[in-house]
Amino acid sequence: MSTSAPALPKPLQLPLSQEDLAAINEYLHPLTPEEILRWAVDYIPGLYQTTAFGLTGLVAIDMLSKITPAPPPLIFLDTLYHFPETYALVEEVRARYGAPLHVYKPAGCADVQEFERKHGERLWERDEGAYDYAVKVEPARRAYAELGVQGVITGRRASQGGARAGLQPVEVDETGLVKVNPLCAWNVQLVELYIKEHGVPHNALLGQGYRSVGDWHSTVPSGAGDAGERAGRWAGREEKTECGLHEDYFAAKARARARVG
């Protein structure tokens, strides 16, 4: 039996109370990804989509293009270490869908050379937390502040495992940011089927043995018998399942300050 929509204002008054969040998730849980996205567009102010142009994010981009003539703008965090195929995909998506795209890079760094002059070479090996904060966490929070972001659409799914296993359609993080996970209940087979049926552009590396694509220095093709939808990411680091973007912001910021202090 379907649950009736909670009586909430359009747009929502943020921050959300725990009671309202629970009622929203109870209502959204049985809905399709398209219905969740339609609800988000109607209700969440300052809505953007953060994307690294993975398959799930691409599905959401395609769905939104069919739901509204003015889809939420995209935010792409350019770590400066993406594969050439990823940068080519960014331009293909920009040309096909026409959604506004905001690109954010590490603070004060236009390219790899500037990043390595500032942070040294191979920072991801010397201090992985510092690297994640510099290329993902700080640029994201700078984007949210400059653009007035109050809610973001993500490409996270429960079947990806790790910290994502208990995902709900809507979450509120420790800063009050609303995170919408429209495909949280889909598995990778459903995602791939949608990509194929709708002709959605995707990363060419996925046809070359890669199961999930991140930075070139921490992504390898998945081998025979590799388990998990994100196999090949952070190779040799079984305990690592997130890049820092969806972890506690205040804790990450405190650790970053401690390093320079």
Side-chain angles (χ1 to χ4, degrees), residues 11-49:
L12 292 173
Q13 298 299 309
L14 303 179
L16 285 174
S17 68
Q18 287 300 312
E19 292 77 11
D20 285 345
L21 179 60
I24 289 168
N25 277 320
E26 183 180 8
Y27 169 66
L28 295 179
H29 195 267
L31 301 187
T32 66
E34 291 93 337
E35 290 168 332
I36 294 172
L37 285 167
R38 190 173 292 109
W39 177 90
V41 168
D42 287 344
Y43 278 91
I44 298 179
L47 182 63
Y48 286 70
Q49 181 179 353

mmCIF file of all heavy atoms in Angstrom, residues 11-49:
data_model
loop_
_atom_site.group_PDB
_atom_site.id
_atom_site.type_symbol
_atom_site.label_atom_id
_atom_site.label_comp_id
_atom_site.label_asym_id
_atom_site.label_seq_id
_atom_site.Cartn_x
_atom_site.Cartn_y
_atom_site.Cartn_z
ATOM 1 N N PRO A 11 8.892 25.441 -1.845
ATOM 2 C CA PRO A 11 9.936 24.481 -1.504
ATOM 3 C C PRO A 11 9.960 24.186 -0.012
ATOM 4 O O PRO A 11 9.326 24.878 0.781
ATOM 5 C CB PRO A 11 11.213 25.194 -1.943
ATOM 6 C CG PRO A 11 10.896 26.651 -1.741
ATOM 7 C CD PRO A 11 9.446 26.788 -2.119
ATOM 8 N N LEU A 12 10.711 23.145 0.351
ATOM 9 C CA LEU A 12 10.849 22.788 1.754
ATOM 10 C C LEU A 12 11.514 23.910 2.538
ATOM 11 O O LEU A 12 12.346 24.656 2.018
ATOM 12 C CB LEU A 12 11.711 21.525 1.891
ATOM 13 C CG LEU A 12 11.139 20.216 1.366
ATOM 14 C CD1 LEU A 12 12.202 19.123 1.446
ATOM 15 C CD2 LEU A 12 9.905 19.817 2.141
ATOM 16 N N GLN A 13 11.156 23.992 3.799
ATOM 17 C CA GLN A 13 11.848 24.886 4.712
ATOM 18 C C GLN A 13 12.988 24.093 5.355
ATOM 19 O O GLN A 13 12.757 23.121 6.054
ATOM 20 C CB GLN A 13 10.889 25.409 5.777
ATOM 21 C CG GLN A 13 9.730 26.226 5.227
ATOM 22 C CD GLN A 13 10.206 27.477 4.495
ATOM 23 O OE1 GLN A 13 11.003 28.253 5.025
ATOM 24 N NE2 GLN A 13 9.742 27.657 3.266
ATOM 25 N N LEU A 14 14.196 24.517 5.088
ATOM 26 C CA LEU A 14 15.365 23.814 5.610
ATOM 27 C C LEU A 14 15.945 24.556 6.802
ATOM 28 O O LEU A 14 15.808 25.764 6.892
ATOM 29 C CB LEU A 14 16.418 23.673 4.504
ATOM 30 C CG LEU A 14 15.937 22.967 3.228
ATOM 31 C CD1 LEU A 14 17.064 22.906 2.202
ATOM 32 C CD2 LEU A 14 15.420 21.568 3.535
ATOM 33 N N PRO A 15 16.574 23.845 7.752
ATOM 34 C CA PRO A 15 16.902 22.413 7.740
ATOM 35 C C PRO A 15 15.684 21.547 8.054
ATOM 36 O O PRO A 15 14.741 21.988 8.715
ATOM 37 C CB PRO A 15 17.968 22.291 8.825
ATOM 38 C CG PRO A 15 17.642 23.385 9.788
ATOM 39 C CD PRO A 15 17.144 24.517 8.937
ATOM 40 N N LEU A 16 15.727 20.315 7.594
ATOM 41 C CA LEU A 16 14.645 19.368 7.837
ATOM 42 C C LEU A 16 14.722 18.821 9.259
ATOM 43 O O LEU A 16 15.811 18.542 9.771
ATOM 44 C CB LEU A 16 14.747 18.189 6.869
ATOM 45 C CG LEU A 16 14.327 18.421 5.414
ATOM 46 C CD1 LEU A 16 14.634 17.177 4.595
ATOM 47 C CD2 LEU A 16 12.851 18.762 5.327
ATOM 48 N N SER A 17 13.570 18.647 9.878
ATOM 49 C CA SER A 17 13.528 17.956 11.166
ATOM 50 C C SER A 17 13.648 16.457 10.924
ATOM 51 O O SER A 17 13.404 15.960 9.815
ATOM 52 C CB SER A 17 12.214 18.260 11.888
ATOM 53 O OG SER A 17 11.124 17.656 11.195
ATOM 54 N N GLN A 18 14.006 15.725 11.952
ATOM 55 C CA GLN A 18 14.097 14.276 11.843
ATOM 56 C C GLN A 18 12.736 13.668 11.518
ATOM 57 O O GLN A 18 12.635 12.684 10.784
ATOM 58 C CB GLN A 18 14.658 13.680 13.134
ATOM 59 C CG GLN A 18 16.150 13.929 13.325
ATOM 60 C CD GLN A 18 16.986 13.328 12.204
ATOM 61 O OE1 GLN A 18 16.821 12.173 11.830
ATOM 62 N NE2 GLN A 18 17.901 14.134 11.661
ATOM 63 N N GLU A 19 11.671 14.268 12.062
ATOM 64 C CA GLU A 19 10.331 13.765 11.801
ATOM 65 C C GLU A 19 9.958 13.936 10.330
ATOM 66 O O GLU A 19 9.407 13.008 9.701
ATOM 67 C CB GLU A 19 9.312 14.483 12.692
ATOM 68 C CG GLU A 19 9.434 14.179 14.172
ATOM 69 C CD GLU A 19 10.593 14.907 14.850
ATOM 70 O OE1 GLU A 19 11.183 15.824 14.220
ATOM 71 O OE2 GLU A 19 10.909 14.563 15.998
ATOM 72 N N ASP A 20 10.260 15.109 9.770
ATOM 73 C CA ASP A 20 9.962 15.339 8.357
ATOM 74 C C ASP A 20 10.807 14.447 7.463
ATOM 75 O O ASP A 20 10.322 13.916 6.452
ATOM 76 C CB ASP A 20 10.189 16.808 7.997
ATOM 77 C CG ASP A 20 9.086 17.724 8.513
ATOM 78 O OD1 ASP A 20 8.008 17.211 8.890
ATOM 79 O OD2 ASP A 20 9.311 18.947 8.549
ATOM 80 N N LEU A 21 12.076 14.262 7.826
ATOM 81 C CA LEU A 21 12.959 13.411 7.031
ATOM 82 C C LEU A 21 12.440 11.977 7.012
ATOM 83 O O LEU A 21 12.418 11.324 5.952
ATOM 84 C CB LEU A 21 14.380 13.460 7.592
ATOM 85 C CG LEU A 21 15.426 12.599 6.882
ATOM 86 C CD1 LEU A 21 15.571 13.009 5.424
ATOM 87 C CD2 LEU A 21 16.772 12.691 7.602
ATOM 88 N N ALA A 22 12.010 11.486 8.156
ATOM 89 C CA ALA A 22 11.487 10.125 8.223
ATOM 90 C C ALA A 22 10.226 9.983 7.379
ATOM 91 O O ALA A 22 10.040 8.981 6.673
ATOM 92 C CB ALA A 22 11.203 9.748 9.679
ATOM 93 N N ALA A 23 9.350 11.003 7.437
ATOM 94 C CA ALA A 23 8.113 10.955 6.649
ATOM 95 C C ALA A 23 8.413 11.005 5.157
ATOM 96 O O ALA A 23 7.772 10.308 4.355
ATOM 97 C CB ALA A 23 7.202 12.114 7.051
ATOM 98 N N ILE A 24 9.394 11.803 4.759
ATOM 99 C CA ILE A 24 9.780 11.896 3.349
ATOM 100 C C ILE A 24 10.299 10.557 2.851
ATOM 101 O O ILE A 24 9.923 10.073 1.781
ATOM 102 C CB ILE A 24 10.831 13.014 3.157
ATOM 103 C CG1 ILE A 24 10.182 14.389 3.328
ATOM 104 C CG2 ILE A 24 11.508 12.892 1.798
ATOM 105 C CD1 ILE A 24 11.173 15.525 3.442
ATOM 106 N N ASN A 25 11.174 9.922 3.624
ATOM 107 C CA ASN A 25 11.737 8.642 3.192
ATOM 108 C C ASN A 25 10.692 7.533 3.157
ATOM 109 O O ASN A 25 10.722 6.673 2.268
ATOM 110 C CB ASN A 25 12.913 8.258 4.094
ATOM 111 C CG ASN A 25 14.200 8.936 3.661
ATOM 112 O OD1 ASN A 25 14.477 9.058 2.472
ATOM 113 N ND2 ASN A 25 14.977 9.391 4.624
ATOM 114 N N GLU A 26 9.753 7.569 4.088
ATOM 115 C CA GLU A 26 8.681 6.582 4.052
ATOM 116 C C GLU A 26 7.859 6.732 2.776
ATOM 117 O O GLU A 26 7.459 5.736 2.158
ATOM 118 C CB GLU A 26 7.783 6.740 5.275
ATOM 119 C CG GLU A 26 6.669 5.696 5.346
ATOM 120 C CD GLU A 26 5.778 5.862 6.563
ATOM 121 O OE1 GLU A 26 5.909 6.871 7.285
ATOM 122 O OE2 GLU A 26 4.936 4.968 6.788
ATOM 123 N N TYR A 27 7.643 7.981 2.362
ATOM 124 C CA TYR A 27 6.883 8.235 1.136
ATOM 125 C C TYR A 27 7.677 7.874 -0.114
ATOM 126 O O TYR A 27 7.150 7.264 -1.053
ATOM 127 C CB TYR A 27 6.478 9.708 1.096
ATOM 128 C CG TYR A 27 5.917 10.161 -0.226
ATOM 129 C CD1 TYR A 27 4.711 9.656 -0.706
ATOM 130 C CD2 TYR A 27 6.605 11.082 -1.011
ATOM 131 C CE1 TYR A 27 4.195 10.058 -1.931
ATOM 132 C CE2 TYR A 27 6.099 11.492 -2.232
ATOM 133 C CZ TYR A 27 4.899 10.976 -2.689
ATOM 134 O OH TYR A 27 4.393 11.369 -3.899
ATOM 135 N N LEU A 28 8.968 8.224 -0.138
ATOM 136 C CA LEU A 28 9.773 8.035 -1.343
ATOM 137 C C LEU A 28 10.252 6.603 -1.543
ATOM 138 O O LEU A 28 10.529 6.191 -2.678
ATOM 139 C CB LEU A 28 10.993 8.963 -1.310
ATOM 140 C CG LEU A 28 10.736 10.471 -1.365
ATOM 141 C CD1 LEU A 28 12.061 11.219 -1.302
ATOM 142 C CD2 LEU A 28 9.961 10.858 -2.619
ATOM 143 N N HIS A 29 10.370 5.846 -0.472
ATOM 144 C CA HIS A 29 11.008 4.531 -0.557
ATOM 145 C C HIS A 29 10.427 3.629 -1.648
ATOM 146 O O HIS A 29 11.184 2.980 -2.387
ATOM 147 C CB HIS A 29 10.949 3.841 0.805
ATOM 148 C CG HIS A 29 11.866 2.663 0.904
ATOM 149 N ND1 HIS A 29 11.464 1.382 0.628
ATOM 150 C CD2 HIS A 29 13.188 2.581 1.217
ATOM 151 C CE1 HIS A 29 12.480 0.555 0.770
ATOM 152 N NE2 HIS A 29 13.536 1.252 1.129
ATOM 153 N N PRO A 30 9.093 3.546 -1.820
ATOM 154 C CA PRO A 30 8.566 2.653 -2.864
ATOM 155 C C PRO A 30 8.514 3.267 -4.256
ATOM 156 O O PRO A 30 8.123 2.583 -5.216
ATOM 157 C CB PRO A 30 7.148 2.343 -2.368
ATOM 158 C CG PRO A 30 6.760 3.558 -1.601
ATOM 159 C CD PRO A 30 8.017 4.060 -0.958
ATOM 160 N N LEU A 31 8.896 4.524 -4.404
ATOM 161 C CA LEU A 31 8.769 5.202 -5.696
ATOM 162 C C LEU A 31 9.918 4.859 -6.626
ATOM 163 O O LEU A 31 10.976 4.390 -6.221
ATOM 164 C CB LEU A 31 8.697 6.721 -5.488
ATOM 165 C CG LEU A 31 7.551 7.246 -4.619
ATOM 166 C CD1 LEU A 31 7.522 8.768 -4.662
ATOM 167 C CD2 LEU A 31 6.207 6.675 -5.044
ATOM 168 N N THR A 32 9.714 5.118 -7.904
ATOM 169 C CA THR A 32 10.763 4.909 -8.903
ATOM 170 C C THR A 32 11.789 6.032 -8.815
ATOM 171 O O THR A 32 11.522 7.100 -8.253
ATOM 172 C CB THR A 32 10.172 4.898 -10.314
ATOM 173 O OG1 THR A 32 9.661 6.219 -10.604
ATOM 174 C CG2 THR A 32 9.051 3.877 -10.448
ATOM 175 N N PRO A 33 12.985 5.823 -9.377
ATOM 176 C CA PRO A 33 13.972 6.904 -9.399
ATOM 177 C C PRO A 33 13.434 8.176 -10.061
ATOM 178 O O PRO A 33 13.698 9.289 -9.581
ATOM 179 C CB PRO A 33 15.131 6.313 -10.188
ATOM 180 C CG PRO A 33 15.039 4.851 -9.930
ATOM 181 C CD PRO A 33 13.576 4.560 -9.891
ATOM 182 N N GLU A 34 12.676 8.021 -11.153
ATOM 183 C CA GLU A 34 12.112 9.196 -11.823
ATOM 184 C C GLU A 34 11.154 9.955 -10.900
ATOM 185 O O GLU A 34 11.155 11.188 -10.877
ATOM 186 C CB GLU A 34 11.366 8.792 -13.101
ATOM 187 C CG GLU A 34 12.276 8.282 -14.215
ATOM 188 C CD GLU A 34 12.426 6.766 -14.198
ATOM 189 O OE1 GLU A 34 12.210 6.152 -13.120
ATOM 190 O OE2 GLU A 34 12.770 6.208 -15.248
ATOM 191 N N GLU A 35 10.369 9.222 -10.142
ATOM 192 C CA GLU A 35 9.431 9.864 -9.220
ATOM 193 C C GLU A 35 10.167 10.556 -8.074
ATOM 194 O O GLU A 35 9.766 11.638 -7.634
ATOM 195 C CB GLU A 35 8.443 8.833 -8.681
ATOM 196 C CG GLU A 35 7.453 8.345 -9.731
ATOM 197 C CD GLU A 35 6.664 7.125 -9.275
ATOM 198 O OE1 GLU A 35 7.167 6.338 -8.444
ATOM 199 O OE2 GLU A 35 5.528 6.961 -9.772
ATOM 200 N N ILE A 36 11.231 9.946 -7.603
ATOM 201 C CA ILE A 36 12.038 10.582 -6.554
ATOM 202 C C ILE A 36 12.670 11.865 -7.088
ATOM 203 O O ILE A 36 12.685 12.897 -6.413
ATOM 204 C CB ILE A 36 13.118 9.604 -6.045
ATOM 205 C CG1 ILE A 36 12.454 8.417 -5.332
ATOM 206 C CG2 ILE A 36 14.090 10.318 -5.109
ATOM 207 C CD1 ILE A 36 13.420 7.307 -4.958
ATOM 208 N N LEU A 37 13.193 11.805 -8.304
ATOM 209 C CA LEU A 37 13.796 12.999 -8.899
ATOM 210 C C LEU A 37 12.761 14.088 -9.107
ATOM 211 O O LEU A 37 13.035 15.277 -8.860
ATOM 212 C CB LEU A 37 14.461 12.639 -10.230
ATOM 213 C CG LEU A 37 15.785 11.873 -10.126
ATOM 214 C CD1 LEU A 37 16.182 11.311 -11.474
ATOM 215 C CD2 LEU A 37 16.883 12.778 -9.570
ATOM 216 N N ARG A 38 11.572 13.729 -9.556
ATOM 217 C CA ARG A 38 10.515 14.721 -9.756
ATOM 218 C C ARG A 38 10.150 15.387 -8.428
ATOM 219 O O ARG A 38 9.958 16.597 -8.361
ATOM 220 C CB ARG A 38 9.294 14.066 -10.390
ATOM 221 C CG ARG A 38 8.226 15.060 -10.848
ATOM 222 C CD ARG A 38 7.126 14.378 -11.618
ATOM 223 N NE ARG A 38 7.596 13.877 -12.908
ATOM 224 C CZ ARG A 38 7.766 12.588 -13.200
ATOM 225 N NH1 ARG A 38 7.514 11.655 -12.298
ATOM 226 N NH2 ARG A 38 8.189 12.227 -14.392
ATOM 227 N N TRP A 39 10.069 14.588 -7.381
ATOM 228 C CA TRP A 39 9.785 15.133 -6.051
ATOM 229 C C TRP A 39 10.898 16.096 -5.636
ATOM 230 O O TRP A 39 10.619 17.198 -5.132
ATOM 231 C CB TRP A 39 9.673 13.990 -5.029
ATOM 232 C CG TRP A 39 9.448 14.490 -3.628
ATOM 233 C CD1 TRP A 39 8.258 14.727 -3.017
ATOM 234 C CD2 TRP A 39 10.465 14.849 -2.683
ATOM 235 N NE1 TRP A 39 8.466 15.212 -1.748
ATOM 236 C CE2 TRP A 39 9.811 15.297 -1.521
ATOM 237 C CE3 TRP A 39 11.862 14.826 -2.707
ATOM 238 C CZ2 TRP A 39 10.504 15.728 -0.381
ATOM 239 C CZ3 TRP A 39 12.558 15.264 -1.591
ATOM 240 C CH2 TRP A 39 11.886 15.700 -0.447
ATOM 241 N N ALA A 40 12.148 15.709 -5.852
ATOM 242 C CA ALA A 40 13.273 16.557 -5.460
ATOM 243 C C ALA A 40 13.250 17.894 -6.198
ATOM 244 O O ALA A 40 13.468 18.948 -5.592
ATOM 245 C CB ALA A 40 14.587 15.827 -5.719
ATOM 246 N N VAL A 41 12.984 17.850 -7.495
ATOM 247 C CA VAL A 41 12.924 19.084 -8.286
ATOM 248 C C VAL A 41 11.821 19.996 -7.771
ATOM 249 O O VAL A 41 11.977 21.224 -7.709
ATOM 250 C CB VAL A 41 12.714 18.741 -9.781
ATOM 251 C CG1 VAL A 41 12.355 19.987 -10.579
ATOM 252 C CG2 VAL A 41 13.965 18.081 -10.358
ATOM 253 N N ASP A 42 10.694 19.415 -7.354
ATOM 254 C CA ASP A 42 9.558 20.199 -6.875
ATOM 255 C C ASP A 42 9.783 20.775 -5.487
ATOM 256 O O ASP A 42 9.295 21.869 -5.178
ATOM 257 C CB ASP A 42 8.290 19.336 -6.846
ATOM 258 C CG ASP A 42 7.743 19.043 -8.225
ATOM 259 O OD1 ASP A 42 8.145 19.735 -9.185
ATOM 260 O OD2 ASP A 42 6.923 18.118 -8.350
ATOM 261 N N TYR A 43 10.517 20.050 -4.642
ATOM 262 C CA TYR A 43 10.531 20.401 -3.226
ATOM 263 C C TYR A 43 11.829 20.987 -2.681
ATOM 264 O O TYR A 43 11.803 21.744 -1.706
ATOM 265 C CB TYR A 43 10.178 19.163 -2.384
ATOM 266 C CG TYR A 43 8.708 18.895 -2.275
ATOM 267 C CD1 TYR A 43 8.073 18.063 -3.190
ATOM 268 C CD2 TYR A 43 7.936 19.464 -1.262
ATOM 269 C CE1 TYR A 43 6.713 17.802 -3.100
ATOM 270 C CE2 TYR A 43 6.572 19.222 -1.166
ATOM 271 C CZ TYR A 43 5.971 18.388 -2.089
ATOM 272 O OH TYR A 43 4.620 18.150 -1.993
ATOM 273 N N ILE A 44 12.971 20.635 -3.263
ATOM 274 C CA ILE A 44 14.231 21.009 -2.618
ATOM 275 C C ILE A 44 14.786 22.294 -3.230
ATOM 276 O O ILE A 44 15.080 22.344 -4.428
ATOM 277 C CB ILE A 44 15.259 19.871 -2.735
ATOM 278 C CG1 ILE A 44 14.723 18.627 -2.020
ATOM 279 C CG2 ILE A 44 16.594 20.288 -2.117
ATOM 280 C CD1 ILE A 44 15.632 17.441 -2.095
ATOM 281 N N PRO A 45 14.944 23.337 -2.415
ATOM 282 C CA PRO A 45 15.514 24.585 -2.936
ATOM 283 C C PRO A 45 17.023 24.452 -3.125
ATOM 284 O O PRO A 45 17.667 23.601 -2.509
ATOM 285 C CB PRO A 45 15.203 25.582 -1.806
ATOM 286 C CG PRO A 45 15.189 24.745 -0.559
ATOM 287 C CD PRO A 45 14.631 23.410 -0.978
ATOM 288 N N GLY A 46 17.580 25.265 -4.002
ATOM 289 C CA GLY A 46 19.024 25.254 -4.214
ATOM 290 C C GLY A 46 19.551 23.897 -4.591
ATOM 291 O O GLY A 46 20.600 23.457 -4.109
ATOM 292 N N LEU A 47 18.842 23.205 -5.508
ATOM 293 C CA LEU A 47 19.176 21.820 -5.846
ATOM 294 C C LEU A 47 20.169 21.754 -7.004
ATOM 295 O O LEU A 47 19.963 22.368 -8.057
ATOM 296 C CB LEU A 47 17.909 21.054 -6.214
ATOM 297 C CG LEU A 47 18.071 19.563 -6.546
ATOM 298 C CD1 LEU A 47 18.575 18.790 -5.333
ATOM 299 C CD2 LEU A 47 16.743 18.986 -7.042
ATOM 300 N N TYR A 48 21.239 20.991 -6.814
ATOM 301 C CA TYR A 48 22.261 20.739 -7.820
ATOM 302 C C TYR A 48 22.504 19.230 -7.894
ATOM 303 O O TYR A 48 22.054 18.479 -7.023
ATOM 304 C CB TYR A 48 23.581 21.430 -7.465
ATOM 305 C CG TYR A 48 23.566 22.933 -7.678
ATOM 306 C CD1 TYR A 48 22.812 23.777 -6.851
ATOM 307 C CD2 TYR A 48 24.305 23.524 -8.692
ATOM 308 C CE1 TYR A 48 22.804 25.149 -7.038
ATOM 309 C CE2 TYR A 48 24.307 24.913 -8.892
ATOM 310 C CZ TYR A 48 23.552 25.713 -8.058
ATOM 311 O OH TYR A 48 23.537 27.075 -8.244
ATOM 312 N N GLN A 49 23.223 18.808 -8.925
ATOM 313 C CA GLN A 49 23.657 17.415 -8.998
ATOM 314 C C GLN A 49 25.168 17.366 -8.980
ATOM 315 O O GLN A 49 25.828 17.936 -9.857
ATOM 316 C CB GLN A 49 23.134 16.708 -10.257
ATOM 317 C CG GLN A 49 23.580 15.240 -10.321
ATOM 318 C CD GLN A 49 23.062 14.481 -11.536
ATOM 319 O OE1 GLN A 49 22.255 15.008 -12.298
ATOM 320 N NE2 GLN A 49 23.528 13.268 -11.724
#
